[in-house]
Amino acid sequence: MSNLLTIETGPDKGAILHFGDPIKEQRALAAGTAWADLSHLEIVAIKGVDRLRWLHDLTTQHLETFTGGWTSGLILDHLGHIEHQFLMFDDGETAWLIVDVDRATALIEYLKKMQFMMRVEVRDASKEKSLIRVPGFADDLGGPYQLVDRGAIPEFDGATQVGIWALEAERVAAMRPRIGMETDHKSIPNEVNLLNKSVHMNKGCYRGQETVAKVHNLGQPPRKMVLLHLDGSEVDLPAVGADVERDGVKVGFIGTVARHYELGNIALAVIKRNVDTNTQLFVSGIAASID
């Protein structure tokens, strides 16, 4: 393990990038025979009889009648900008919210401010539980997942352990956005392909809903998330946040960049809505085309 490359910064800080053969790992992931240790991610536990009704009111997801299992959601600010993104597992007693590295503290602070008289208890459970990506074909959440006691990693006979390289390449190809990568301070869910996914379109009021509904009804979000194919002749890949340009003018920014085992160099980008899909784009001098 000491010879493996550990990610030092970013939302996957502390995780293993790959285990020696990222192409083999990606193929195993696509075949449903891969697993991954995601214990670097942070976990917020919410216990109490009011937890689902409370989270229903605070988040973009319909949780009031949630019967348990896995889902995802967002918390928006009053203008509809994305503030928090989470995976959630409810076991009938506790809702476990999984977030990226260094995001649990801010989420807990917000939740405790909104607790009021609700019968809920909020705590950081990052040292209690770990997230595991178990073998199986990828679902809409990037799973299948399993929540386990920290340190109690199951045995997956015959399965290949994969690192973040493979997982992120699969996520980019599937166009699943990640907070802080495909979002900035003004991102709304409509721009990043989250409506009818992390955002339930038939539920009651929540903070930021007015913006989401208005933009949805007009059908004109100011920006859109796209999958870019990058010129593979360049060795270096653009950095997260690099400008996407058309004719020398900035039209958006790059989120996650990945080397995919079939698609080559790909990236998620958020660009202006009116950019035509046939337009030639450039990122850090690298030619890019919209999928």
Side-chain angles (χ1 to χ4, degrees):
M1 184 68 72
S2 60
N3 294 325
L4 300 177
L5 180 60
T6 301
I7 298 172
E8 297 183 355
T9 60
D12 289 308
K13 180 181 178 181
I16 301 299
L17 182 61
H18 63 79
F19 290 85
D21 190 341
I23 299 300
K24 177 183 176 181
E25 292 174 31
Q26 288 186 54
R27 292 186 184 279
L29 193 63
T33 59
W35 73 278
D37 179 359
L38 300 175
S39 58
H40 64 288
L41 297 178
E42 298 178 346
I43 301 176
V44 176
I46 304 170
K47 189 173 184 178
V49 295
D50 292 332
R51 70 190 183 284
L52 292 178
R53 180 161 62 92
W54 183 57
L55 288 170
H56 178 90
D57 292 338
L58 294 178
T59 76
T60 58
Q61 191 56 270
H62 196 298
L63 297 171
E64 194 168 30
T65 57
F66 190 60
T67 56
W70 289 94
T71 189
S72 64
L74 308 170
I75 294 176
L76 311 179
D77 69 11
H78 68 287
L79 295 176
H81 302 138
I82 300 171
E83 285 196 337
H84 300 282
Q85 179 187 37
F86 58 86
L87 285 172
M88 182 182 124
F89 177 72
D90 190 87
D91 60 13
E93 293 185 355
T94 303
W96 307 89
L97 275 56
I98 297 95
V99 297
D100 283 344
V101 171
D102 294 332
R103 291 192 177 270
T105 298
L107 177 56
I108 290 170
E109 288 177 356
Y110 171 74
L111 292 174
K112 288 188 173 182
K113 287 179 182 178
M114 303 303 293
Q115 190 167 341
F116 303 121
M117 299 299 291
M118 302 299 285
R119 294 168 294 176
V120 293
E121 299 174 7
V122 181
R123 70 179 189 277
D124 189 331
S126 303
K127 295 182 179 180
E128 301 174 33
K129 298 287 185 179
S130 293
L131 182 68
I132 305 295
R133 202 292 191 181
V134 300
F137 294 109
D139 58 28
D140 291 340
L141 302 176
Y145 296 113
Q146 183 176 345
L147 198 64
V148 301
D149 291 338
R150 192 160 192 85
I153 298 177
E155 293 287 338
F156 299 111
D157 293 337
T160 301
Q161 186 174 7
V162 304
I164 298 302
W165 183 323
L167 293 172
E168 286 292 87
E170 188 276 326
R171 180 179 67 80
V172 171
M175 294 187 68
R176 293 193 307 272
R178 191 172 186 181
I179 192 170
M181 306 293 282
E182 287 70 54
T183 70
D184 57 17
H185 66 284
K186 58 183 181 180
S187 295
I188 61 175
N190 313 61
E191 298 175 324
V192 289
N193 196 31
L194 289 175
L195 302 189
N196 293 311
K197 296 176 181 177
S198 294
V199 179
H200 198 286
M201 299 305 292
N202 296 302
K203 61 166 285 187
C205 185
Y206 55 87
R207 190 174 68 166
Q209 183 193 33
E210 182 178 354
T211 297
V212 173
K214 181 178 180 180
V215 174
H216 175 64
N217 291 332
L218 292 174
Q220 296 181 339
R223 302 179 296 180
K224 60 185 177 182
M225 185 179 70
V226 297
L227 179 66
L228 294 184
H229 290 273
L230 304 175
D231 183 348
S233 63
E234 297 291 335
V235 175
D236 295 328
L237 295 178
V240 174
D243 292 347
V244 177
E245 297 182 338
R246 176 184 60 185
D247 298 328
V249 178
K250 179 180 178 180
V251 294
F253 67 90
I254 279 285
T256 310
V257 183
R259 298 187 191 273
H260 192 274
Y261 78 106
E262 286 186 332
L263 302 177
N265 296 342
I266 56 175
L268 290 176
V270 177
I271 62 175
K272 292 181 178 179
R273 177 178 55 84
N274 60 3
V275 175
D276 187 84
T277 56
N278 295 318
T279 300
Q280 177 68 72
L281 302 173
F282 288 89
V283 187
S284 300
I286 300 172
S289 60
I290 300 173
D291 184 85

